[in-house]
Amino acid sequence: MTNDPVHLVAVIGAGPAGLFAARALAATGARVILLNRDIKPGGLAEYGIFLNKYKMKGGLRRQFQKILTDPRVTYLGNVVVGERGALRVSDLRGAGFDALVFAIGAQGTKYLGIEGERLPGVYHAKDLVYHYNRLPPFSEQHYPIGKRVVIVGVGNVMVDIANYAIHFCDADEVIAVARRGPFEKAYDDREFEDVEDAFDRELYRKEIERVRPHLAAVGQDADQLLSALARRPEPDTRARTKLSFRFLASPRRVIAANGRAVALEVEETRLDRKGDRISAVGTGEITLIPCDTVVFAVGDRVDEDAGLPYKDGLYVTAPGSETDPAAAYQVWDPATGAPMEGVHVVGWARRASDGVVGRARLDAETGVKHVLAKVKAAPGRSPEEAERAVNALVDTIRARGVPTVTYPQVLELEAKERARAAADKVEEYKFGSNREMLEELTR
Ligand SMILES: Cc1cc2nc3c(=O)[nH]c(=O)nc-3n(C[C@H](O)[C@H](O)[C@H](O)COP(=O)(O)OP(=O)(O)OC[C@H]3O[C@@H](n4cnc5c(N)ncnc54)[C@H](O)[C@@H]3O)c2cc1C
């Protein structure tokens, strides 16, 4: 280590965006402390990417390990920053960092505000995804999946939820419900291959015929969809579950009997074109889709309780990003009409539910460029001073009674999990609660 002055940056959130931000910062010589809500790093790369994509998750873990073993990066897991956390944003702002980079993802739920949305058997995708990927405390809660599962939304997350219901539960039918039509689907065909074995082509053809006049009304050709279907190779094996689509249906409420979901009530829609934009317009006609489980896979919002200015599902960033790209990463306080100096957002914390890991990485790296441009104007401090500041923050957190987890401890947990997986002859094993992980670390 040289004695050149260094800048000290706290990155909050150790998902892909936070980790790649930490890497980009450390590469310029900055000293980074990485604070993460979960005991383990990785965010949705660890707890979102589908449970059996072992190769992809393993590859990302290896990349993250390189970042987390860099001596310029100190990782602390089990540390929530926010109104109800171990540290508040104001604590961090008062701790003398040259910059704070919030990479805390989109942890808020996008409720549609319809009746029955919180009934038993009605879930929001993120919670269920966290559950089956074994993120505490979701791993400790029950999310029973019934026989007839409706998923609201037609993005890649819908495909993952369908995959779970089809291949890891006992569902007979899975129905993906969309407000708009088949041309507005948002999932990737490559991802859909994972559920192709359950996809009921006959039901799809019928659904396309049913909506054909609506498609024609906005200049869309149903035959294009049918010929694309005919070109798709048939899967080698067939799942027991049937996967179908229900287009042009806008959820109105979840109907319950004896306190449990029995149907999703939808309003039929028609398509409307304004330039390139296709929207759904309610027709007033009501239909019931019988089901026992409803999963809303409609994207998420950022966490309102993180202590950053919040509006309409996002943190508020500075105006003027059309002419100054840095503004889009700079947190802005509408109460004072001024930037929150030194406070930035990247990744899904900046644009909720936006894209894959590669996109979160690019966003973090772009954000860090803007952060560094500002930070470089500050004088920096000696490496010893930076160490003292990092240690002082660690002491503050521990003094608040929070059992923090370091990266060597994460590696210790992962080694124990691998040993369990080998003993149980399974691909992967994950401790199911924070208590269990913390106890393992004291053994
Ligand atoms: C179901 C699902 C499946 C996906 N599958 C794929 C896939 O197959 N391939 C792919 O490339 N991408 C996939 N993605 C997208 C990918 O996961 C995201 O692009 C990426 O994880 C976003 O990174 P992020 O760091 O912005 O947010 P996140 O990954 O959400 O990370 C946020 C981090 O912040 C921490 N945090 C949250 N709140 C706080 C707080 N208050 N204080 C401190 N720390 C906090 C969390 O512990 C977490 O570690 C999937 C996403 C989902 C939802």
Side-chain angles (χ1 to χ4, degrees):
M1 209 183 267
T2 67
N3 256 331
D4 293 344
V6 296
H7 291 106
L8 183 60
V9 181
V11 176
I12 303 97
L19 286 157
F20 289 116
R23 180 172 78 176
L25 287 160
T28 67
R31 183 72 176 84
V32 181
I33 184 159
L34 190 45
L35 303 169
N36 195 40
R37 174 197 67 190
D38 307 331
I39 286 184
K40 288 199 213 158
L44 285 165
E46 180 68 37
Y47 295 112
I49 291 180
F50 200 66
L51 69 170
N52 62 2
K53 288 188 176 169
Y54 301 116
K55 217 169 141 196
M56 182 189 282
K57 289 191 184 196
L60 286 167
R61 274 188 210 126
R62 281 191 293 280
Q63 287 190 52
F64 297 158
Q65 181 162 356
K66 272 199 195 141
I67 300 168
L68 290 160
T69 48
D70 184 322
R72 290 163 296 196
V73 176
T74 296
Y75 173 83
L76 280 189
N78 204 29
V79 180
V80 176
V81 175
E83 298 301 289
R84 290 194 286 266
L87 288 172
R88 287 166 170 248
V89 175
S90 53
D91 295 327
L92 285 171
R93 292 192 84 194
F97 286 97
D98 293 303
L100 305 178
V101 178
F102 280 84
I104 55 180
Q107 309 299 332
T109 299
K110 195 194 268 179
Y111 287 105
L112 299 187
I114 61 175
E115 193 184 318
E117 213 173 346
R118 295 169 199 242
L119 281 167
V122 181
Y123 313 127
H124 280 261
K126 173 168 48 61
D127 302 358
L128 180 58
V129 164
Y130 278 161
H131 167 75
Y132 66 61
N133 274 306
R134 293 185 65 73
L135 172 68
F138 301 89
S139 47
E140 300 163 88
Q141 294 152 7
H142 293 292
Y143 292 81
I145 299 293
K147 294 284 181 193
R148 202 171 144 89
V149 181
V150 162
I151 308 173
V152 177
V154 279
N156 287 333
V157 175
M158 174 281 285
V159 177
D160 277 8
I161 301 289
N163 192 354
Y164 177 64
I166 294 162
H167 298 119
F168 295 83
C169 307
D170 198 24
D172 293 335
E173 277 183 78
V174 175
I175 305 147
V177 171
R179 294 176 66 240
R180 296 184 292 165
F183 282 97
E184 286 74 51
K185 65 124 174 121
Y187 62 80
D188 297 327
D189 290 337
R190 283 287 297 277
E191 297 293 325
F192 196 77
E193 286 171 14
D194 291 340
V195 292
E196 191 81 51
D197 60 345
F199 179 42
D200 191 314
R201 292 172 176 226
E202 201 37 49
L203 287 178
Y204 182 75
R205 276 188 206 101
K206 282 191 186 149
E207 180 64 359
I208 297 302
E209 291 306 339
R210 187 184 74 82
V211 300
R212 181 185 282 275
H214 293 282
L215 304 183
V218 291
Q220 295 176 336
D221 180 5
D223 287 333
Q224 251 183 43
L225 299 163
L226 297 177
S227 30
L229 178 68
R231 284 196 301 275
R232 281 228 298 269
E234 288 274 355
D236 299 335
T237 54
R238 280 252 141 242
R240 194 185 61 77
T241 318
K242 275 186 195 321
L243 169 63
S244 61
F245 284 88
R246 176 65 162 82
F247 296 110
L248 304 181
S250 175
R252 294 245 313 198
R253 62 180 173 133
V254 183
I255 298 184
N258 301 321
R260 286 204 66 86
V262 291
L264 178 71
E265 181 182 292
V266 295
E267 178 179 3
E268 301 293 337
T269 66
R270 62 176 175 77
L271 297 175
D272 184 50
R273 178 187 283 280
K274 288 216 168 57
D276 282 345
R277 166 114 192 112
I278 301 283
S279 56
V281 181
T283 65
E285 190 188 335
I286 299 298
T287 307
L288 295 189
I289 306 176
C291 59
D292 51 20
T293 311
V294 180
V295 184
F296 290 96
V298 292
D300 297 304
R301 341 179 111 213
V302 299
D303 175 9
E304 269 186 82
D305 294 330
L308 296 176
Y310 169 96
K311 189 166 182 249
D312 299 335
L314 295 171
Y315 297 126
V316 184
T317 51
S321 60
E322 310 76 31
T323 48
D324 173 16
Y329 296 84
Q330 168 67 59
V331 177
W332 176 267
D333 187 353
T336 58
M340 272 176 91
E341 284 306 339
V343 184
H344 309 269
V345 276
V346 295
W348 279 26
R350 191 176 82 82
R351 291 162 68 149
S353 304
D354 184 38
V356 292
V357 167
R359 192 167 172 116
R361 182 177 98 181
L362 187 64
D363 197 64
E365 290 169 351
T366 308
V368 163
K369 271 191 206 139
H370 298 306
V371 171
L372 286 169
K374 290 189 186 167
V375 160
K376 283 207 171 112
R381 67 197 82 197
S382 72
E384 294 75 27
E385 242 182 287
E387 281 323 296
R388 277 199 296 278
V390 168
N391 292 336
L393 186 71
V394 174
D395 290 344
T396 305
I397 301 168
R398 291 194 178 142
R400 292 181 183 178
V402 177
T404 56
V405 176
T406 63
Y407 190 59
Q409 288 178 310
V410 169
L411 292 176
E412 190 183 327
L413 286 172
E414 288 180 349
K416 288 183 179 199
E417 288 177 334
R418 277 197 301 277
R420 285 269 190 109
D424 296 352
K425 297 193 170 52
V426 290
E427 190 78 36
E428 189 171 81
Y429 175 86
K430 282 184 181 175
F431 293 119
S433 70
N434 282 351
R435 182 185 33 77
E436 205 182 346
M437 285 190 263
L438 295 171
E439 275 171 18
E440 283 296 331
L441 290 172
T442 56
R443 270 180 224 274

